[in-house]
Amino acid sequence: MRIPSAIITGMALAVVLTSCGSGGDSDAPTGSMRPPPKVASLGPFVGECGHVTDDEVRDLGGLGTISQVFKNATGCSYQGSGIAGPSVTFASYRGSPIEREKAWVSNFGREPEAIDVGGRPGFAALDPDGSICDLAVQLDDDFFEWSTNNGIFAAGNPCDRARALAELTVGRLG
């Protein structure tokens, strides 16, 4: 007697479970109601280190002698010699909003100022003590940034140095 009742119970359970799904006759749309994700339009290729040579970074960045260079797929970092010496950093951001970078530098007390480099919009942000500048340039849905740090002993506006490097990058876009 147990086997027939188990079979009947199993069949009843199967009928109940299959009838709980959504029917094919429903007028309700299926799937997500979210719009499709935005596909970023890639800007021009900025090349390794913004198409700027190590010697140009040394000269325009005011580094004197370069003691360390780090390069990877998205950026480059140069350190001048000496304790607390000057430094220069380049970074390229694909499909990333420049506004997020602008908000980030604002959080560190660097007030972004709208700029134009070779017909491309961007911003320059100088820190309150005048020793660090972040300069970013928009390239479609991408942007690149040159960041210059005068170090303890260097003089002059680091944004002038970052701008000279950014002008080379924009001028060499491919």
Side-chain angles (χ1 to χ4, degrees):
M1 278 298 238
R2 289 187 142 198
I3 293 180
S5 71
I7 292 174
I8 293 173
T9 303
M11 289 175 44
L13 184 59
V15 169
V16 169
L17 289 177
T18 57
S19 66
C20 289
S22 65
D25 298 335
S26 173
D27 289 335
T30 60
S32 174
M33 295 299 292
R34 287 187 248 156
K38 179 183 181 253
V39 176
S41 63
L42 297 179
F45 179 61
V46 295
E48 182 180 72
C49 303
H51 292 302
V52 179
T53 68
D54 293 353
D55 289 339
E56 290 169 327
V57 171
R58 181 195 65 226
D59 296 342
L60 295 173
L63 298 178
T65 302
I66 296 176
S67 65
Q68 292 181 349
V69 177
F70 299 102
K71 297 179 182 181
N72 64 30
T74 59
C76 302
S77 179
Y78 302 85
Q79 182 66 46
S81 60
I83 297 173
S87 64
V88 174
T89 303
F90 171 82
S92 174
Y93 299 90
R94 286 284 205 195
S96 183
I98 195 171
E99 294 303 316
R100 181 173 38 210
E101 187 70 12
K102 190 183 286 188
W104 187 85
V105 298
S106 294
N107 286 337
F108 286 91
R110 300 178 195 144
E111 193 57 43
E113 173 188 325
I115 61 165
D116 179 279
V117 177
R120 308 241 181 207
F123 71 85
L126 183 63
D127 74 332
D129 71 3
S131 65
I132 299 172
C133 179
D134 295 306
L135 190 143
V137 176
Q138 186 79 54
L139 303 172
D140 298 330
D141 286 336
D142 306 337
F143 74 95
F144 69 84
E145 179 178 44
W146 282 101
S147 182
T148 51
N149 180 339
N150 278 347
I152 293 177
F153 303 109
N157 184 339
C159 286
D160 294 341
R161 296 167 191 229
R163 183 173 189 93
L165 292 163
E167 287 173 350
L168 278 181
T169 298
V170 169
R172 296 173 179 170
L173 291 175

